Amino acid sequence: MIILRMKGGLGNQMFQYAMGRSLSLRTGQPLGLDLRHYDRAREHGYAMGQYDLAATVLEGADLPALPRKNPVAYAFSKVTGRFPPLLREKSLGFDPEIAGHTGPAWLEGYFQSERYFSDHADTIRAELTPASSPDPENARWLAEIEQERNAVSLHVRRGDYVRNLKFAAHHGSCTPEYYARALEHVTERMGATPVVYVFSDEPDWVVANMPLPGEVKVVRHNDAKRNYEDIRLMSACRHHIIANSSFSWWGAWMNPRTDKVVAAPDTWFADPANVNPDIWAQGWTRIKG
């Protein structure tokens, strides 16, 4: 079996599932999810319940002991071979050793690269589409976006990237200058005037601090419990301007159109010690911020 130690928010969980599911398909092994990271209160909880996943949530005796919490039991499980050893990604970028692993595995990492799962893109997109139909408000937005040929999603991530000092130092947030350059690029590539659909965890800040040209529509009705609906709406847009956030990464990647234009920040992490050269999907344009 392949066991995934899930962690982080929705975008991170989607990366982890996509990698694990693709590895499961390549090796023919079942996929299990280890959710113990969420046993205590965190900024982000487990958020994959709205998807029809090809995976089993493991509990109790079906899970290996945690190395730090119970090192003796963990060592015993390794010796007996009841559970596979824990394998962690070696860096923030694509890890060929994990991608090429063929046996049972207990995996931990963020796996933020489409290189892990691009060969199963259709399956991943299908399984990461919410299983339930959108509610009336989201259905109205979805119908409008799908009919708008010049729809461009624009995501501004603030929240924990600004409030949490550790996250702010690690991630940082994209500047208004980045969004201006990105919108100019997308408009030029489109050859038409875009209708910009703004998604943000702080929509009032965007309205007050980021005047955008043309027709702008702010999507603000989904709370954190329904953030998957924002990803569904973003993915329905024709083109995308994303933040340095796995959340809008998925909003853009879930759009299956081959002619989409995606503008992404050239610098993904504020801390120069953190580098992921594989975060940008094939065909996306990196814009300096």
Side-chain angles (χ1 to χ4, degrees):
M1 171 175 275
I2 296 166
I3 303 174
L4 272 176
R5 184 147 169 74
M6 304 290 283
K7 58 183 178 180
L10 175 58
N12 285 322
Q13 293 169 42
M14 292 172 79
F15 269 118
Q16 291 154 23
Y17 175 78
M19 186 283 299
R21 175 63 168 141
S22 190
L23 189 60
S24 172
L25 288 167
R26 283 197 296 272
T27 64
Q29 298 179 87
L31 180 63
L33 305 182
D34 177 356
L35 306 185
R36 287 175 292 182
H37 178 79
Y38 303 103
D39 284 349
R40 63 183 179 88
R42 297 181 181 275
E43 181 135 11
H44 304 289
Y46 179 67
M48 300 287 280
Q50 66 278 354
Y51 303 113
D52 187 10
L53 303 180
T56 302
V57 174
L58 303 177
E59 297 178 341
D62 292 328
L63 285 166
L66 295 171
R68 293 181 181 177
K69 189 174 181 179
N70 198 336
V72 174
Y74 173 69
F76 181 75
S77 69
K78 286 178 63 178
V79 171
T80 60
R82 183 183 176 196
F83 294 107
L86 179 62
L87 301 178
R88 294 186 173 95
E89 62 179 349
K90 292 183 171 59
S91 69
L92 293 173
F94 176 75
D95 187 335
E97 182 177 338
I98 286 180
H101 193 79
T102 57
W106 182 27
L107 302 175
E108 182 175 358
Y110 288 103
F111 312 115
Q112 292 184 338
S113 172
E114 72 165 356
R115 293 178 62 185
Y116 287 111
F117 49 85
S118 59
D119 51 343
H120 297 108
D122 291 343
T123 298
I124 299 303
R125 285 192 176 100
E127 294 177 359
L128 292 182
T129 297
S132 61
S133 300
D135 59 36
E137 178 72 358
N138 281 296
R140 183 184 70 79
W141 279 96
L142 187 62
E144 176 186 323
I145 289 172
E146 288 177 338
Q147 292 172 11
E148 177 54 68
R149 293 184 58 83
N150 298 325
V152 175
S153 73
L154 185 150
H155 178 231
V156 178
R157 172 72 176 269
R158 287 180 57 78
D160 53 0
Y161 277 23
V162 176
R163 295 191 314 268
N164 187 310
L165 294 180
K166 180 180 178 180
F167 284 11
H170 179 72
H171 295 285
S173 56
C174 297
T175 65
E177 290 76 19
Y178 157 73
Y179 288 103
R181 293 189 187 101
L183 186 55
E184 182 179 356
H185 168 78
V186 171
T187 301
E188 181 180 345
R189 288 280 304 276
M190 288 173 59
T193 301
V195 176
V196 179
Y197 290 84
V198 173
F199 299 82
S200 178
D201 49 4
E202 293 187 12
D204 292 337
W205 184 94
V206 176
V207 171
N209 295 277
M210 284 181 51
L212 298 167
E215 187 174 1
V216 177
K217 301 188 177 186
V218 181
V219 183
R220 60 169 78 229
H221 61 280
N222 288 316
D223 58 18
K225 292 181 180 179
R226 295 189 301 169
N227 56 1
Y228 60 92
E229 292 288 10
D230 275 352
I231 291 182
R232 173 153 47 189
L233 294 178
M234 281 191 281
S235 69
C237 292
R238 298 293 176 124
H239 310 289
H240 309 276
I241 297 171
I242 72 171
N244 56 333
S245 164
S246 59
F247 187 77
S248 51
W249 191 102
W250 280 99
W253 192 87
M254 286 292 291
N255 175 358
R257 295 180 180 90
T258 58
D259 62 345
K260 66 186 176 185
V261 179
V262 180
D266 182 67
T267 300
W268 200 261
F269 296 103
D271 185 348
N274 296 302
V275 178
N276 180 355
D278 304 302
I279 188 68
W280 300 277
Q282 185 174 5
W284 294 9
T285 302
R286 296 166 62 171
I287 304 293
K288 291 188 179 297

